[in-house]
Amino acid sequence: MQRLIFLCFTLFTLQAQIINALVQDFCIADLSGPETPSGYTCKPSANATASDFVFTGLRVPGPKIALIKASVSPAFTAQFPGLNGQGVSLLRLDFDPKGVIPLHTHPGAAELLLVTQGFVVSGFISTANQVYVAKLQKGDSMVIPQGLLHFQINGGGNAAVAFASFSSEAPGLQITDFALFGNSLPSDILEKVTFLDDAQVKKLKAALGGTG
């Protein structure tokens, strides 16, 4: 019995040593290489500097997107290589009056939204088609479960700002409107799957850059 206990303890210790040997403090993304499902390869840790762990791109709004009257400023791995492998990221949203972030999903992450200026109406739709909507003011937060369709709208008459954090450094993004109307999916198919008439489909394709 003692020999069995000793053997088990020895195996456990060896396993722990192997696991610890494989653990790295960090993996700064080498953006010159390809992105894989498990992230980017690491640049040599000996070449790391403090600037690899600092991102200043959220100080000011990003370029305005006229169609949605808002700007979206990401701090994902592609913008902030130090996030690679850390399982976290950020996004800044700046809304003009009537600004909107249309229905979209992040397949790879849950989202935590924090309003820092103005009012934002935020909501998501569950897989049971239950709708959850709330009007958030400065200091309020809302969690968006992973992979669910959701949106944000400026809920007041003035500019609004919010920051979103994600449970992944690469949360992914698919905007429903562009997925349907911003590509080459034939109009006759779209009319069947969306129950829209030909004029509506063509109008949306024209607005969102679709063809066919």
Side-chain angles (χ1 to χ4, degrees):
M1 183 66 178
Q2 289 180 332
R3 291 181 63 183
L4 179 60
I5 293 173
F6 177 78
L7 179 61
C8 291
F9 179 80
T10 302
L11 290 173
F12 177 81
T13 302
L14 287 173
Q15 183 183 35
Q17 290 174 343
I18 292 171
I19 292 172
N20 287 334
L22 295 174
V23 171
Q24 299 182 124
D25 289 336
F26 49 80
C27 174
I28 299 166
D30 179 2
L31 299 181
S32 65
E35 184 179 13
T36 71
S38 57
Y40 290 90
T41 56
C42 312
K43 84 172 191 179
S45 58
N47 297 339
T49 66
S51 63
D52 288 314
F53 305 98
V54 176
F55 183 71
T56 62
L58 301 185
R59 291 178 179 177
V60 297
K64 195 76 65 178
I65 303 171
L67 181 65
I68 62 174
K69 297 181 175 62
S71 64
V72 179
S73 310
F76 300 159
T77 306
Q79 296 81 31
F80 189 0
L83 292 179
N84 194 44
Q86 298 300 320
V88 293
S89 57
L90 279 171
L91 183 75
R92 173 174 173 157
L93 301 171
D94 289 83
F95 301 83
D96 284 349
K98 298 184 180 180
V100 57
I101 305 299
L103 276 172
H104 63 283
T105 181
H106 304 289
E111 175 180 340
L112 183 62
L113 185 75
L114 170 66
V115 176
T116 60
Q117 178 183 322
F119 295 88
V120 174
V121 175
S122 178
F124 65 90
I125 304 168
S126 74
T127 55
N129 289 326
Q130 181 67 42
V131 178
Y132 301 87
V133 180
K135 185 173 183 178
L136 310 175
Q137 60 180 327
K138 181 179 178 180
D140 292 347
S141 298
M142 184 175 191
V143 63
I144 311 295
Q146 180 174 334
L148 296 185
L149 283 168
H150 59 286
F151 63 88
Q152 285 90 29
I153 300 172
N154 189 333
N158 300 309
V161 181
F163 288 82
S165 60
F166 300 90
S167 59
S168 169
E169 68 274 22
L173 171 66
Q174 186 173 39
I175 301 174
T176 307
D177 294 334
F178 285 96
L180 287 171
F181 305 104
N183 52 42
S184 60
L185 188 61
S187 294
D188 60 331
I189 294 177
L190 273 172
E191 290 160 23
K192 292 180 175 67
V193 301
T194 62
F195 307 108
L196 298 175
D197 63 35
D198 184 65
Q200 290 172 315
V201 167
K202 288 181 177 177
K203 178 181 178 180
L204 289 165
K205 276 182 169 285
L208 299 171
T211 60

